[in-house]
């Protein structure tokens, strides 16, 4: 499983907890298709309530797309290239601005830990996995929201009011 997209991008500690569970893999496949259909309609997982797996799959897809654009640019020949517009009046993200895309997604994400599990070796992987086992990633529950990673590290205190 660790050699097949999107799983190739997941930290292996997450895959260890999945342990080749075929139902989990099938559910992930189903989410990939559902997200793909939503994107074709202009809806990103960040734009609507949903399960953690949806935003995690976008994080994995970003890594995959960047690699494809670098290794096989001919795949994207039918899509018009877009340069970044950095004029005073507007700002748009160009095709080569992968860090900006990730930053923008980070600003609009509902799950603060949306890309932690595709950052191999990230120090918060064990804490994220302890708080949210992979078998719960499909549950539609309230999202962790902004500041979750700081709270997870004990760097921020939740306001009880």
């Amino acid at each position: 499983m660790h050699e097949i997209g999107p799983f190739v991008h997941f930290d292996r500690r997450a895959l260890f907890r999945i342990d080749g569970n075929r139902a989990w893999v099938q559910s992930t496949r189903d989410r990939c298709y559902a997200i793909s259909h939503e994107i074709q309609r202009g809806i990103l997982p960040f734009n609507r309530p949903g399960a953690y797996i949806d935003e995690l799959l976008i994080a994995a897809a970003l890594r995959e797309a960047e690699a494809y654009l670098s290794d096989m640019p001919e795949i994207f020949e039918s899509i018009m290239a877009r340069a970044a517009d950095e004029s005073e009046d507007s700002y748009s993200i160009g095709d080569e601005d992968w860090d900006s895309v990730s930053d923008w997604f980070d600003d609009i994400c509902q799950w603060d830990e949306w890309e932690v599990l595709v950052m191999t070796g990230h120090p918060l992987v064990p804490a994220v996995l302890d708080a949210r086992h992979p078998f719960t990633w499909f549950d539609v529950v309230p999202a962790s929201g902004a500041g979750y990673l700081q709270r997870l590290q004990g760097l921020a205190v939740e306001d009880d009011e």
Side-chain angles (χ1 to χ4, degrees):
M1 196 163 85
H2 67 280
E3 296 176 347
I4 302 168
F7 311 114
V8 68
H9 301 290
F10 288 15
D11 189 289
R12 289 196 182 187
R13 292 171 285 184
L15 298 180
F16 179 75
R17 293 189 186 200
I18 296 161
D19 194 27
N21 182 301
R22 290 182 183 203
W24 191 93
V25 172
Q26 181 61 44
S27 294
T28 303
R29 180 181 179 267
D30 294 345
R31 291 309 311 150
C32 287
Y33 281 115
I35 292 166
S36 173
H37 294 300
E38 286 181 338
I39 290 171
Q40 290 173 15
R41 293 191 322 269
I43 301 168
L44 290 172
F46 308 107
N47 301 130
R48 47 106 177 119
Y52 173 58
I53 189 70
D54 294 353
E55 289 190 9
L56 180 60
L57 289 170
I58 292 295
L62 278 177
R63 290 184 175 261
E64 195 85 13
E66 185 176 9
Y68 277 135
L69 185 59
S70 174
D71 296 342
M72 296 181 285
E74 64 275 5
I75 292 176
F76 299 93
E77 286 177 355
S78 63
I79 302 171
M80 186 182 345
R82 186 175 51 166
D85 176 8
E86 298 179 22
S87 66
E88 286 184 35
D89 298 347
S90 66
Y91 177 78
S92 66
I93 298 171
D95 290 344
E96 304 297 325
D97 298 328
W98 292 102
D99 289 337
S100 295
V101 171
S102 180
D103 290 345
W104 179 60
F105 284 167
D106 207 34
D107 291 342
I108 64 173
C109 72
Q110 297 184 48
W111 298 90
D112 198 27
E113 68 279 24
W114 74 281
E115 61 182 346
V116 168
L117 296 176
V118 298
M119 295 178 169
T120 305
H122 193 290
L124 289 179
V125 167
V128 169
L129 290 172
D130 286 345
R132 184 168 290 103
H133 190 281
F135 292 165
T136 67
W137 294 354
F138 302 93
D139 300 342
V140 179
V141 296
S144 63
Y148 174 74
L149 293 176
Q150 286 79 17
R151 292 189 303 274
L152 192 63
Q153 297 176 78
L155 298 175
V157 180
E158 288 188 54
D159 195 7
D160 291 336
E161 294 179 37

